[in-house]
Amino acid sequence: MAAIKQLAAVTRSGTGKGAARSVRREGRVPAVIYGGGESPEPISIEFKDINKLIYAGHFLTTIFELDIAGRTERVLPRDYQLDVVTDKPVHVDFLRLRAGSRVRIGVPVHVVNREASPGLKRGGTVNLVLHSLPPTPSRTR
């Protein structure tokens, strides 16, 4: 299993469009932590940190430990929104992880060694129908 990444966050008082805009003016990205049997918690994260993590790849399949005012919260990013013009992060949703809980995620598909493929060398192409494998439905026995 990959190492859990650390990320610092700050609780924010307001919710809604006005409060989110004021957080963005401070150079932070508004976010929310939900799930785990608790009420949603609005937070904000430093823009530089979250921007680097999103564009580094594997963001939605990485477990993070958020440090919120001295306490840690284990979370998994579920979604993020980017500005339609600048492609900068505007908002992030995190799912709270509890011990023993089950989470279903999609796994991204990456094609490796394209250049070494004999079929591509002879003029073939790679056609990916699905760019990620969806989670399988749960089976009951």
Side-chain angles (χ1 to χ4, degrees):
M1 185 170 144
I4 297 173
K5 295 187 178 182
Q6 305 292 323
L7 190 60
V10 176
T11 59
R12 57 186 173 106
S13 57
T15 59
K17 189 187 298 185
R21 285 183 178 169
S22 67
V23 167
R24 288 187 198 104
R25 278 192 294 269
E26 296 170 1
R28 303 184 68 81
V29 177
V32 66
I33 302 172
Y34 63 90
E38 295 181 23
S39 61
E41 180 180 3
I43 60 169
S44 66
I45 302 168
E46 191 65 37
F47 172 79
K48 292 187 313 184
D49 298 337
I50 201 73
N51 191 49
K52 187 183 342 177
L53 289 168
I54 288 173
Y55 285 105
H58 309 290
F59 180 66
L60 294 176
T61 56
T62 304
I63 297 175
F64 291 93
E65 268 193 3
L66 294 179
D67 180 26
I68 308 166
R71 67 180 171 88
T72 60
E73 193 79 50
R74 189 170 284 192
V75 295
L76 180 70
R78 289 307 259 180
D79 193 20
Y80 60 90
Q81 290 82 40
L82 300 176
D83 186 89
V84 295
V85 177
T86 61
D87 280 340
K88 293 179 180 177
V90 176
H91 181 81
V92 182
D93 291 328
F94 291 103
L95 177 66
R96 194 178 277 120
L97 298 178
R98 294 289 179 230
S101 63
R102 298 176 112 188
V103 179
R104 297 168 44 148
I105 61 171
V107 179
V109 175
H110 298 285
V111 179
V112 295
N113 295 330
R114 287 184 188 197
E115 302 81 25
S117 169
L120 289 178
K121 287 181 180 178
R122 293 186 184 130
T125 60
V126 175
N127 184 14
L128 290 179
V129 178
L130 294 175
H131 294 280
S132 67
L133 299 176
T136 59
S138 61
R139 297 181 187 154
T140 57
R141 293 184 184 193

